[in-house]
Amino acid sequence: MTLLERKATRRHLLLASGLAAAGLNADAAPTSRPLDLKPQASRLRIAFGSCAKQGKPQPIWQAVSASRPDLFVFLGDNFYADARDEATLRQRYQEFRAARALQDFRRQTPHLAIWDDHDFGDDDVGADYELKRLSQQLFCDEWAEPADSPRRQRSGIYESYRFESGGHRVQVIMLDLRFNRTALLADPALHQGYKAMVLKAKLTGQPMKGWYLPNPDPKASMLGQEQWDWLARQLAEPADLRIIGSSVQFAAEGTGWEGWANFPLERERLLQLIRKQRAEGVVFISGDMHYADISRWDMPAGYPLWDITSSGLTEVWDIPTPNQRRQSAVLAELNFGLLDIDWAAGTLALVACDVQGRHRLQQVLKLADLRFKV
């Protein structure tokens, strides 16, 4: 067990004993896992990123380290397995452990992790991936999950964490968008015409839309019922800021690639759940796209939901992609993301940085605006 995990476990036990001493039911305690991250600090910096091919140079970790994050969130495609057999999946983990710059960073910096398709198993896969239980075991082993960790037993590796910062409560919710996800709907004509579409986009500079379609089936799922029930409990916990780690884009609309837009009823279900639980301070961080941008979803009878995408740490997609919810330019370079929280000023900055650590995209939010008005 790491030092961070030992501190978290101790704080959890102290919380439970405190409740008992007060005559309260320990079951009423928050179920998210506690972290200890400079609770008295007036500022907080959380870095994040996705899409790092283990066989490529990874110079970006120098810039990430230089930004001095209090926490780093790995949002998936943390390596590329693309495996359809056990031997290949295990071999890819060995290659991941040999990526020295990344592993040095992991040893030096508190971090959390979730997976996306390539480190879950293979490109764009979901619940039908035949090695998903093995993948769950290997993930939990690699990311030092204790033997009794719920992440080893659940239908997926989703998890929630909480900590105090500057007198405020912060929650980090990591969703599993692979283990239970219904297969994607695709337009065969667009899929078959992929190479011609790429060439046209490069020649004309016009945005290239992907071939995935919204699935209108009420039975189609991103999370699975068990994870939905768990998420409802997490959103009921008190928090001043909630960071939802989504391996694919939440707010983007019209890209035609993977994202919550592929399952519009599931996205609406999440919006309804946020409203029902009166969960305030929600902001999304996402990956997958091989570029960075910032999107906004205006939640009816709620507040704006912002989604900053950071991808990739080694991968770049430089062909224009449409996104009706985009509020920024597109950074089609190696990049990582930052959330800079200034509790005294009451602000949250969404930032995308390049491989030199320069701030290339930025959106400053007022924390007071991430609240229900009525």
Side-chain angles (χ1 to χ4, degrees), residues 26-180:
D27 292 338
T31 59
S32 51
R33 290 163 66 170
L35 298 177
D36 189 1
L37 294 174
K38 300 180 180 178
Q40 304 306 318
S42 61
R43 302 177 71 99
L44 175 70
R45 170 168 284 182
I46 297 176
F48 57 97
S50 63
C51 305
K53 262 191 184 171
Q54 63 273 20
K56 289 186 175 182
Q58 300 186 12
I60 199 166
W61 295 112
Q62 296 179 15
V64 181
S65 294
S67 73
R68 301 179 64 82
D70 299 303
L71 179 71
F72 186 89
V73 179
F74 288 88
L75 281 171
D77 292 346
N78 307 310
F79 66 94
Y80 282 62
D82 297 334
R84 288 291 178 174
D85 61 82
E86 179 176 347
T88 301
L89 186 58
R90 291 183 180 276
Q91 174 63 28
R92 296 295 180 260
Y93 267 97
Q94 293 180 18
E95 296 168 3
F96 173 64
R97 288 190 286 273
R100 183 173 177 178
L102 186 155
Q103 299 302 338
D104 287 346
F105 177 81
R106 285 180 65 194
R107 283 188 286 271
Q108 297 165 3
T109 309
H111 58 272
L112 306 173
I114 198 69
W115 59 26
D116 199 34
D117 53 341
H118 291 283
D119 49 344
F120 170 58
D122 204 357
D123 188 34
D124 294 355
V125 293
D128 57 344
Y129 182 58
E130 60 273 16
L131 298 175
K132 65 181 183 180
R133 282 296 179 186
L134 173 63
S135 186
Q136 181 179 29
Q137 173 198 324
L138 294 177
F139 176 95
C140 290
D141 290 346
E142 180 62 33
W143 296 94
E145 288 293 327
D148 60 350
S149 169
R151 300 185 90 181
R152 294 182 179 274
Q153 306 299 326
R154 291 173 174 150
S155 296
I157 59 167
Y158 51 91
E159 187 56 286
S160 178
Y161 305 85
R162 71 181 188 278
F163 57 93
E164 294 181 4
S165 174
H168 296 79
R169 296 164 296 189
V170 181
Q171 185 182 42
V172 181
I173 298 173
M174 307 284 280
L175 299 178
D176 186 332
L177 304 182
R178 295 294 165 182
F179 200 92
N180 302 293

Side-chain angles (χ1 to χ4, degrees), residues 13 30 32 46 88-89 111 115-116 175 228 243 264 267 277 280 288 294 317 330 337 340 358:
L13 292 173
S32 51
I46 297 176
T88 301
L89 186 58
H111 58 272
W115 59 26
D116 199 34
L175 299 178
W228 275 115
I243 301 160
R267 181 161 57 184
Q277 305 295 60
E280 298 187 319
D288 178 62
I294 301 172
W317 176 261
V330 174
D340 270 334
R358 295 173 298 194

Side-chain angles (χ1 to χ4, degrees), residues 10 14 47 74 87 99 107 119 156 197 228 232 243 275 304 313 356 363:
R10 182 173 179 272
L14 288 172
F74 288 88
R107 283 188 286 271
D119 49 344
M197 291 162 55
W228 275 115
I243 301 160
R275 287 192 296 261
L313 296 162
Q356 282 80 37
Q363 179 73 46

Side-chain angles (χ1 to χ4, degrees), residues 78-353:
N78 307 310
F79 66 94
Y80 282 62
D82 297 334
R84 288 291 178 174
D85 61 82
E86 179 176 347
T88 301
L89 186 58
R90 291 183 180 276
Q91 174 63 28
R92 296 295 180 260
Y93 267 97
Q94 293 180 18
E95 296 168 3
F96 173 64
R97 288 190 286 273
R100 183 173 177 178
L102 186 155
Q103 299 302 338
D104 287 346
F105 177 81
R106 285 180 65 194
R107 283 188 286 271
Q108 297 165 3
T109 309
H111 58 272
L112 306 173
I114 198 69
W115 59 26
D116 199 34
D117 53 341
H118 291 283
D119 49 344
F120 170 58
D122 204 357
D123 188 34
D124 294 355
V125 293
D128 57 344
Y129 182 58
E130 60 273 16
L131 298 175
K132 65 181 183 180
R133 282 296 179 186
L134 173 63
S135 186
Q136 181 179 29
Q137 173 198 324
L138 294 177
F139 176 95
C140 290
D141 290 346
E142 180 62 33
W143 296 94
E145 288 293 327
D148 60 350
S149 169
R151 300 185 90 181
R152 294 182 179 274
Q153 306 299 326
R154 291 173 174 150
S155 296
I157 59 167
Y158 51 91
E159 187 56 286
S160 178
Y161 305 85
R162 71 181 188 278
F163 57 93
E164 294 181 4
S165 174
H168 296 79
R169 296 164 296 189
V170 181
Q171 185 182 42
V172 181
I173 298 173
M174 307 284 280
L175 299 178
D176 186 332
L177 304 182
R178 295 294 165 182
F179 200 92
N180 302 293
R181 198 214 65 200
T182 301
L184 298 167
L185 289 182
D187 183 327
L190 289 177
H191 198 182
Q192 293 170 6
Y194 169 70
K195 291 183 178 180
M197 291 162 55
V198 169
L199 180 60
K200 180 180 179 181
K202 288 186 174 182
L203 290 174
T204 65
Q206 296 298 311
M208 174 184 164
K209 187 175 181 178
W211 49 78
Y212 290 123
L213 304 172
N215 189 336
D217 186 352
K219 296 181 180 179
S221 184
M222 286 279 278
L223 305 185
Q225 189 58 48
E226 178 185 293
Q227 189 173 180
W228 275 115
D229 293 342
W230 167 87
L231 181 57
R233 294 192 295 272
Q234 306 315 308
L235 292 177
E237 292 186 7
D240 300 300
L241 176 64
R242 303 174 198 272
I243 301 160
I244 298 183
S246 174
S247 62
V248 298
Q249 291 185 306
F250 170 79
E253 188 74 11
T255 71
W257 302 109
E258 281 201 276
W260 283 81
N262 303 138
F263 299 91
L265 297 181
E266 288 286 271
R267 181 161 57 184
E268 178 59 30
R269 182 176 181 178
L270 181 50
L271 295 173
Q272 291 178 5
L273 184 60
I274 291 172
R275 287 192 296 261
K276 178 182 178 181
Q277 305 295 60
R278 303 288 292 181
E280 298 187 319
V282 171
V283 64
F284 288 83
I285 56 176
S286 59
D288 178 62
M289 296 300 291
H290 297 183
Y291 59 74
D293 69 356
I294 301 172
S295 304
R296 167 177 164 157
W297 186 278
D298 291 314
M299 178 172 54
Y303 55 90
L305 295 174
W306 291 85
D307 178 6
I308 176 169
T309 299
S310 176
S311 170
L313 296 162
T314 69
E315 306 305 293
V316 176
W317 176 261
D318 60 0
I319 298 173
T321 301
N323 175 3
Q324 298 163 17
R325 303 284 179 172
R326 185 178 290 140
Q327 302 293 308
S328 71
V330 174
L331 181 59
E333 302 177 22
L334 300 181
N335 66 86
F336 65 97
L338 292 177
L339 297 180
D340 270 334
I341 301 104
D342 184 333
W343 298 116
T347 59
L348 165 64
L350 314 179
V351 184
C353 304

